[in-house]
C-alpha cells in the first residue's frame, strides 16, 4: 500500500521514499513506493509528472492500494528522491477546485447537477444534466468568481460512508470507509480524492468559454487561473489581427466583419451575373465566327466550334459549351491551358457523335484522362503543348463523320 502524501498536503512536492517493488507497465519500468506525493489519475483529474531520482515520471496509475509510477528508465532499489512538477500540480489544483465551485454554482442558479468532469490539457469540461443557456452560465460564472474572491478556506475531512450519506453526500462507487470530503467553507461540500488548494482564492478566476448541447444536457467548457489568462491572450491576439485585417476599431469590428461578408455575397452574385453574360456573348461570337458568310447551322449541317483559352477553369469551359450547344445545332470542342490542360467536348441534342470517346482519345494524347456521358464529356492532361494538336485531331474526326 502506498501512503498518499497529497491527500494530507497537496503543497508538498518534494519527498523521499522507499522503493517497495519494481514492475513493468506496458513495456516501461514502473515502481511502487511506500509513500508518494504524485497524484494518480482518477476522478477526472490527470496524473502528476516530475522525476524520481534520475527517471522522468511518465504516468501515475492507481492499482488497488498501490500507486504505480511509470518511468522512462529504471530506478535502483532503496531510497529515491521524488520531485513533482509544480506548475502542472498548481494548474490541476486551479482547474479542479474551480470545477467544484462552478458545479455548485450551476446547482444554485439552474438546479443543474454535474454528471461528468474532464480536466483536459486546454479546457476543462463539466456535463450538466439539463440544458442551461448563456444567461444562466454567466450567472453561475459570476457566483463561482464571487466565492473565489471571498478566499473561503478549503478543508478536507474524512467520514465513514454512513456519516457521509447522513449528510447528503453520496460516496464514490465502491468506497465504504474513509470518504474524503472537500469543503469550500459555507458553499460546497463533496466527496473527492483530488488535490485542492488551501483557499478558494487560489483558483484565481473562473471563465466559461463554451456551452454546447450534449446528451440531453449541456457540456460547459471553462478555464481557471493561469489558463484564463492564456485564453484571454489568445483571444486578444485573434481580435488584434482582425482589427488590423479589417482596419476597424474594436467597437466596430462585428459590424465591419458582417458588412464585409454581405459585400462578398453581393459581389459574388454580381460576378455570377457578369460571367453568365460574358459566356453568352462569347458563345454567340464563336458561333458567328464558325458560320462566317455561310448559312445558319442546322441539325444536318451543324456548326463546329473549336477554341482554346488561357487560364479558364473547367467550370467556365463547361458553361460555355452548354450555351453553345443550346444556341444552335453545334459541336463544341473547347480547351483551356491553365494549371494543366482542360478539355470540354459537347454536342447539341440529336447530333450523331460519340462525344465521350472523342474526348477520351484527345485527353489520352495529353497524357491524362476524362470521361462523360451522352452529349457532354470533360477531362484534362499535363501536356499543355499538345492542346492545339488534340483539338485539331478531334475536329478532323467530327468532320470525317459529318
Ligand atoms: Zn473533486
Amino acid at each position: 500500500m502506498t501512503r498518499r502524501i497529497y491527500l494530507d498536503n497537496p503543497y508538498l512536492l518534494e519527498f523521499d521514499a522507499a522503493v517497495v517493488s519494481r514492475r513493468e507497465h506496458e513495456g516501461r519500468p514502473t515502481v511502487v513506493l511506500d509513500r508518494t506525493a504524485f497524484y494518480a489519475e482518477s476522478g477526472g483529474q490527470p496524473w502528476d509528472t516530475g522525476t524520481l531520482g534520475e527517471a522522468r515520471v511518465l504516468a501515475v496509475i492507481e492499482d488497488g492500494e498501490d500507486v504505480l509510477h511509470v518511468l522512462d528508465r529504471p530506478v535502483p532499489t532503496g531510497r529515491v528522491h521524488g520531485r513533482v512538477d509544480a506548475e502542472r500540480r498548481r494548474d490541476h489544483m486551479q482547474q479542479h477546485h474551480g470545477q467544484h465551485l462552478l458545479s455548485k454554482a450551476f446547482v444554485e442558479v439552474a438546479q443543474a447537477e454535474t454528471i461528468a468532469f474532464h480536466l483536459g490539457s486546454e479546457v476543462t469540461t463539466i456535463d450538466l444534466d439539463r440544458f442551461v443557456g448563456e444567461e444562466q452560465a454567466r450567472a453561475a460564472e459570476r457566483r463561482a468568481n464571487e466565492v473565489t474572491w471571498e478566499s473561503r478556506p478549503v478543508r478536507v475531512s474524512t467520514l465513514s460512508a454512513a456519516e457521509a450519506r447522513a449528510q447528503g453526500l453520496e460516496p464514490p462507487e465502491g468506497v465504504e470507509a474513509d470518504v474524503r470530503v472537500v469543503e469550500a467553507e459555507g458553499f460546497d461540500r463533496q466527496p473527492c480524492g483530488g488535490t485542492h488548494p488551501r483557499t478558494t482564492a487560489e483558483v484565481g478566476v473562473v471563465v466559461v468559454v463554451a456551452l454546447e448541447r450534449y446528451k440531453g444536457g449541456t457540456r460547459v467548457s471553462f478555464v481557471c487561473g493561469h489558463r484564463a489568462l492564456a485564453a484571454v491572450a489568445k483571444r486578444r491576439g485573434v481580435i488584434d489581427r482582425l482589427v488590423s485585417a479589417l482596419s476597424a476599431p474594436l467597437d466596430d469590428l462585428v459590424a465591419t466583419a458582417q458588412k464585409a461578408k454581405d459585400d462578398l455575397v453581393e459581389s459574388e452574385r454580381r460576378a455570377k451575373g457578369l460571367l453568365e453574360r460574358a459566356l453568352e456573348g462569347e458563345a454567340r461570337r464563336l458561333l458567328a465566327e464558325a458560320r462566317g458568310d455561310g448559312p445558319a447551322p442546322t441539325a444536318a449541317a451543324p456548326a463546329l466550334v473549336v477554341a482554346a483559352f488561357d487560364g479558364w477553369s473547367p467550370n467556365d469551359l463547361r458553361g460555355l459549351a452548354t450555351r453553345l450547344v443550346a444556341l444552335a445545332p453545334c459541336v463544341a470542342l473547347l480547351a483551356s491551358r491553365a494549371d494543366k490542360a482542360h478539355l470540354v467536348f459537347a454536342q447539341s441534342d440529336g447530333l450523331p457523335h460519340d462525344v465521350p470517346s472523342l474526348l477520351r482519345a484527345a485527353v489520352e494524347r495529353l497524357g491524362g484522362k476524362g470521361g462523360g456521358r451522352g452529349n457532354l464529356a470533360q477531362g484534362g492532361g499535363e501536356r499543355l503543348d499538345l492542346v492545339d494538336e488534340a483539338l485539331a485531331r478531334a475536329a478532323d474526326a467530327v468532320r470525317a463523320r459529318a
Side-chain angles (χ1 to χ4, degrees):
M1 171 181 169
T2 311
R3 194 164 81 71
R4 299 168 195 212
I5 298 168
Y6 56 80
L7 290 176
D8 300 321
N9 184 358
Y11 294 91
L12 183 74
L13 300 180
E14 284 204 42
F15 65 102
D16 290 293
V19 175
V20 174
S21 71
R22 299 164 77 201
R23 309 181 189 173
E24 208 174 75
H25 180 82
E26 290 176 356
R28 296 276 191 186
T30 298
V31 293
V32 177
L33 307 174
D34 63 341
R35 61 202 290 265
T36 187
F38 282 93
Y39 182 78
E41 178 175 41
S42 82
Q45 179 177 334
W47 62 81
D48 285 327
T49 56
T51 54
L52 274 183
E54 300 290 305
R56 286 200 309 123
V57 176
L58 305 175
V60 188
I61 304 163
E62 284 187 329
D63 181 20
E65 302 269 86
D66 293 337
V67 173
L68 307 184
H69 303 76
V70 182
L71 308 172
D72 71 337
R73 72 193 74 173
V75 294
T77 47
R79 293 194 73 74
V80 67
H81 186 70
R83 194 190 298 258
V84 174
D85 183 295
E87 259 183 57
R88 182 172 161 99
R89 166 63 68 80
R90 189 183 59 208
D91 172 44
H92 290 171
M93 281 163 68
Q94 284 182 326
Q95 311 313 315
H96 191 158
H97 197 69
Q99 178 262 313
H100 280 217
L101 301 183
L102 188 61
S103 286
K104 181 57 187 258
F106 271 113
V107 172
E108 280 192 0
V109 308
Q111 295 77 52
E113 295 285 344
T114 295
I115 51 178
F117 157 54
H118 175 71
L119 203 172
S121 59
E122 274 193 35
V123 296
T124 302
T125 59
I126 51 175
D127 295 339
L128 302 177
D129 65 352
R130 65 188 57 197
F131 182 71
V132 301
E134 185 64 29
E135 235 171 78
Q136 287 171 310
R138 290 301 150 221
E141 182 187 66
R142 222 168 19 247
R143 182 67 177 129
N145 281 302
E146 271 168 24
V147 174
T148 299
W149 300 330
E150 284 162 2
S151 296
R152 298 190 187 214
V154 175
R155 296 201 189 86
V156 174
S157 52
T158 308
L159 306 177
S160 72
E163 286 170 324
R165 286 197 186 95
Q167 296 177 25
L169 300 168
E170 190 50 38
E173 233 180 84
V175 176
E176 278 309 316
D178 296 340
V179 180
R180 187 171 185 263
V181 173
V182 174
E183 173 181 10
E185 192 182 84
F187 181 63
D188 174 58
R189 290 181 85 211
Q190 53 182 294
C192 178
T195 52
H196 288 271
R198 293 185 189 100
T199 82
T200 57
E202 287 185 41
V203 171
V205 64
V206 181
V207 179
V208 172
V209 291
L211 297 177
E212 58 189 303
R213 284 180 188 267
Y214 183 76
K215 287 187 180 171
T218 309
R219 173 161 287 182
V220 181
S221 301
F222 65 97
V223 286
C224 300
H226 79 107
R227 289 195 190 192
L229 270 188
V232 169
K234 184 177 172 187
R235 282 160 176 72
R236 205 185 66 197
V238 170
I239 291 169
D240 286 351
R241 288 203 298 280
L242 284 175
V243 161
S244 147
L246 293 171
S247 305
L250 185 62
D251 289 342
D252 298 342
L253 193 56
V254 173
T256 306
Q258 187 61 50
K259 184 172 183 305
K261 201 176 158 199
D262 294 345
D263 287 353
L264 184 63
V265 169
E266 175 60 15
S267 296
E268 279 172 355
R269 196 186 62 75
R270 280 170 51 82
K272 204 171 159 217
L274 287 170
L275 177 67
E276 274 167 18
R277 271 149 60 193
L279 290 177
E280 182 80 15
E282 184 67 12
R284 290 185 187 282
R285 187 185 71 76
L286 287 169
L287 279 173
E289 201 175 273
R291 179 181 172 183
D293 297 330
T298 62
L304 174 59
V305 171
V306 183
F309 304 89
D310 285 325
W312 280 41
S313 72
N315 266 350
D316 292 350
L317 276 188
R318 208 170 49 242
L320 179 60
T322 51
R323 275 171 182 77
L324 280 166
V325 300
L327 281 169
C330 164
V331 176
L333 307 176
L334 307 180
S336 167
R337 298 180 199 87
D339 51 325
K340 57 183 207 167
H342 303 291
L343 296 184
V344 174
F345 290 1
Q347 68 181 352
S348 304
D349 283 345
L351 297 189
H353 303 285
D354 182 349
V355 174
S357 52
L358 276 175
L359 181 109
R360 272 195 299 276
V363 286
E364 254 166 46
R365 290 202 60 73
L366 303 180
K369 51 187 181 185
R373 224 185 268 169
N375 290 334
L376 183 77
Q378 69 180 83
E382 301 301 327
R383 295 293 302 268
L384 292 164
D385 56 316
L386 295 180
V387 165
D388 290 329
E389 190 191 317
L391 284 183
R393 283 183 181 236
D396 286 346
V398 169
R399 283 190 201 96
R401 175 86 195 254

